Amino acid sequence: MSTAPRGWTATLLDPDEPPAFEIVNAQGAGSAVLVCDHASNRIPRRLGSLGLAPEQLADHIGWDPGAAEVARGLSAHLDAPLVLSGYSRLVIDCNRPLANTASIAEQSAGVLVPGNLGLTTQARAARVEALFRSYHDAIERLLDARSNRPSILLSIHSFTPALSGEQRPWPVGVSHWRDRRFAALMSTALGHRVDGIVGDNQPYPIEEAIDYTVPVHGEGRGLHAVMIEIRNDGLRTTAQIDAWVERLAAAYREIEAEAIKLGSFPANI
Ligand SMILES: [Zn+2]
């Protein structure tokens, strides 16, 4: 997959920095495969703070607060392998196609990102190779290694309760791309376990031009896949996080047999 010469990685991450991704429970025997594109708000040392204040990096523009903890809990409950991205979406967003202008965002939710302005081709390539490719290659290898058994992809995210002055009422949302069969099962099972309405492709629909992970690693290879978005005001304490893990795990277990029966299908892209 990689086209740039070796060495790009070395131009972004120092040897003592964490890798671009982390794999938890790689040999997990369950049917679910978990990914967390926005798990971390870490910035590679060489990029400083991208010109942002610590409180801006800690906010939802830098990552999905609480999502990594939920994903780790689910990995344990469902015996599912989990791949987490190691760096902030502001360095490069692992859920955006590279051609999308939000891949390396010059502004996010109205906040200008000074460290992303006027990047050279080389600076962009370094981020693509060191972070984006490394993370997605890891997911691809993991799914390749499981190709002889059922895999259902759950992409775990969190979202901010209000954006651009608009309140978002859903405590959780399930988003699908073209095939909504698995999403429908998951939404119904979750609906019995939450107070409020489960977002149906809310707060975000999945679109090929905007999303990468579900179209490419899910339907792109014929796997059922959803993005699960949890409103982050429900993920502020360990008890809240544990409750979401329990709910999601119980909902998944309830529909797992039916979901596996759906089988895989011809790749969609
Ligand atoms: Zn996210």
Side-chain angles (χ1 to χ4, degrees):
M1 279 184 88
S2 183
T3 50
R6 280 185 183 283
W8 287 122
T9 301
T11 67
L12 188 65
L13 296 180
D14 289 334
D16 63 330
E17 290 189 281
F21 61 88
E22 179 190 355
I23 301 187
V24 175
N25 195 12
Q27 305 301 324
S31 61
V33 174
L34 301 160
V35 293
C36 195
D37 299 334
H38 302 143
S40 174
N41 64 349
R42 178 180 288 273
I43 310 287
R45 189 183 297 139
R46 294 179 193 205
L47 302 181
S49 66
L50 293 175
L52 296 173
E55 59 271 22
Q56 291 173 312
L57 292 175
D59 200 6
H60 68 95
I61 64 168
W63 62 328
D64 286 354
E69 288 92 331
V70 171
R72 287 178 195 278
L74 276 176
S75 169
H77 274 60
L78 299 175
D79 192 15
L82 160 66
V83 186
L84 305 115
S85 166
Y87 287 84
S88 172
R89 70 202 300 173
L90 293 172
V91 182
I92 186 162
D93 191 327
C94 285
N95 191 35
R96 297 280 172 263
L98 296 174
N100 189 291
T101 53
S103 165
I104 298 176
E106 296 193 343
Q107 67 90 28
S108 178
V111 176
L112 196 71
V113 187
N116 288 351
L117 301 177
L119 293 186
T120 62
T121 306
Q122 288 83 351
R124 298 185 81 85
R127 297 189 194 189
V128 171
E129 292 304 316
L131 303 180
F132 184 92
R133 293 275 182 234
S134 298
Y135 173 68
H136 287 294
D137 287 354
I139 298 173
E140 200 174 315
R141 283 194 301 272
L142 180 81
L143 290 171
D144 285 348
R146 293 173 55 98
S147 56
N148 59 349
R149 56 186 153 133
S151 290
I152 293 168
L153 187 71
L154 307 178
S155 179
I156 307 298
H157 293 260
S158 72
F159 66 96
T160 186
L163 191 67
S164 312
E166 234 173 88
Q167 294 296 318
R168 298 152 125 195
W170 320 275
V172 64
V174 179
S175 299
H176 59 88
W177 191 33
R178 293 173 180 163
D179 190 309
R180 76 180 302 271
R181 288 175 290 167
F182 173 66
L185 290 175
M186 194 67 193
S187 291
T188 304
L190 263 180
H192 300 141
R193 293 174 167 84
V194 299
D195 254 350
I197 294 168
V198 177
D200 176 11
N201 263 359
Q202 298 279 14
Y204 303 107
I206 293 181
E207 296 173 31
E208 195 173 4
I210 296 172
D211 293 273
Y212 188 88
T213 299
V214 165
V216 170
H217 298 298
E219 291 191 41
R221 55 190 297 157
L223 300 181
H224 289 280
V226 292
M227 187 162 76
I228 293 176
E229 289 268 4
I230 305 162
R231 204 174 60 208
N232 69 29
D233 58 348
L235 298 174
R236 295 207 172 125
T237 66
T238 306
Q240 286 179 313
I241 288 168
D242 290 347
W244 273 112
V245 170
E246 296 284 346
R247 265 177 221 128
L248 289 164
Y252 185 80
R253 276 198 211 97
E254 182 181 301
I255 57 153
E256 181 175 15
E258 214 174 329
I260 291 171
K261 267 195 245 151
L262 293 173
S264 55
F265 50 88
N268 229 332
I269 54 174

